[in-house]
C-alpha cells in the first residue's frame, strides 16, 4: 500500500464490513435479514465508502453506521410486532416508532432513517434473480444465467 501498488484500505470500513454479516446472522426473520442487507448495501455502505475516499473513517463514524443498522433492525422488529411490513408502513407508523425511541438514539435514529429503511425495500433497485438452467423464467433468460464453463487447461 505504501508503494501505491495496492489501494489504501480504511480499517474502520473493513471493521464495519466484518461486523455486518454477524449482525445479519442474528436476525431471525429472513425477510428482515434481506431488508437490512439492502439497507446496508444501498444506503449505509455507499456513504461509508464515499467518506473513506475523502478522508479516513473515524471510530465514531463507524459506530454511527452500525447504530443505523441496529435501529433499522429494531424498526423492522417493531413493525413485525404491529403486524406491518415496510411496504405497508406509512408516516403514522414512522411517527409512532419515532415517538417511542429513546432520545439517546436521536443521532443514529433520525426520523428519516425509518423512512430510508422502508425505502430500501420499496424503492431499492430490484436485484436480479438467478435461475438454474432448465427453469422457466423464459428460455432466453434461463440460458443467460446458466452456469458457464470457465477456461480449462
Amino acid at each position: 500500500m505504501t508503494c501505491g501498488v495496492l489501494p489504501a484500505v480504511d480499517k474502520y470500513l473493513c471493521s464495519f464490513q466484518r461486523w455486518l454479516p454477524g449482525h445479519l446472522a442474528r436476525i431471525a426473520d429472513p425477510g428482515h435479514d434481506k431488508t437490512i442487507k439492502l439497507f446496508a448495501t444501498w444506503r449505509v455502505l455507499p456513504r461509508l465508502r464515499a467518506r473513506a475516499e475523502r478522508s479516513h473513517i473515524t471510530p465514531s463514524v463507524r459506530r454511527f453506521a452500525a447504530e443505523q443498522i441496529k435501529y433499522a433492525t429494531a424498526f423492522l422488529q417493531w413493525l413485525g410486532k404491529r403486524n406491518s411490513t415496510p411496504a405497508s408502513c406509512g408516516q403514522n407508523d414512522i411517527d409512532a416508532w419515532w415517538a417511542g425511541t429513546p432520545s439517546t438514539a436521536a443521532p443514529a435514529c433520525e426520523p428519516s432513517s425509518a423512512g430510508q429503511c422502508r425505502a430500501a425495500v420499496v424503492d431499492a433497485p430490484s436485484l436480479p434473480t438467478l435461475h438454474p438452467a432448465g427453469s422457466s423464467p423464459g428460455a432466453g433468460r434461463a440460458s443467460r444465467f446458466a452456469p458457464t464453463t470457465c477456461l480449462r487447461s
Side-chain angles (χ1 to χ4, degrees):
M1 286 188 275
T2 306
C3 297
V5 176
L6 297 175
V9 176
D10 190 292
K11 68 180 181 178
Y12 292 109
L13 178 59
C14 289
S15 169
F16 180 81
Q17 290 174 319
R18 282 191 314 270
W19 169 82
L20 185 59
H23 177 78
L24 293 172
R26 289 187 295 275
I27 298 174
D29 186 320
H32 292 178
D33 172 70
K34 179 181 176 184
T35 302
I36 297 301
K37 190 180 292 186
L38 286 170
F39 179 62
T41 301
W42 295 103
R43 304 288 176 161
V44 178
L45 276 168
R47 289 183 184 147
L48 279 177
R49 289 184 182 121
R51 175 75 181 255
E53 286 179 13
R54 287 190 313 270
S55 65
H56 292 291
I57 294 176
T58 62
S60 62
V61 170
R62 188 259 187 238
R63 191 169 37 253
F64 179 79
E67 287 173 0
Q68 285 183 311
I69 298 295
K70 289 175 188 176
Y71 280 107
T73 304
F75 174 67
L76 289 177
Q77 291 170 345
W78 181 85
L79 278 178
K81 290 177 185 174
R82 291 174 57 114
N83 295 322
S84 187
T85 64
S88 66
C89 170
Q91 188 62 46
N92 290 338
D93 293 316
I94 293 171
D95 291 342
W97 179 73
W98 177 245
T101 304
S103 61
T104 56
C109 193
E110 59 197 32
S112 64
S113 292
Q116 288 176 0
C117 182
R118 179 187 177 281
V121 174
V122 178
D123 302 330
S126 59
L127 299 176
T129 305
L130 298 179
H131 299 281
S135 65
S136 61
R141 184 173 180 166
S143 63
R144 252 191 333 190
F145 291 115
T148 57
T149 305
C150 294
L151 295 175
R152 294 182 184 178
S153 51

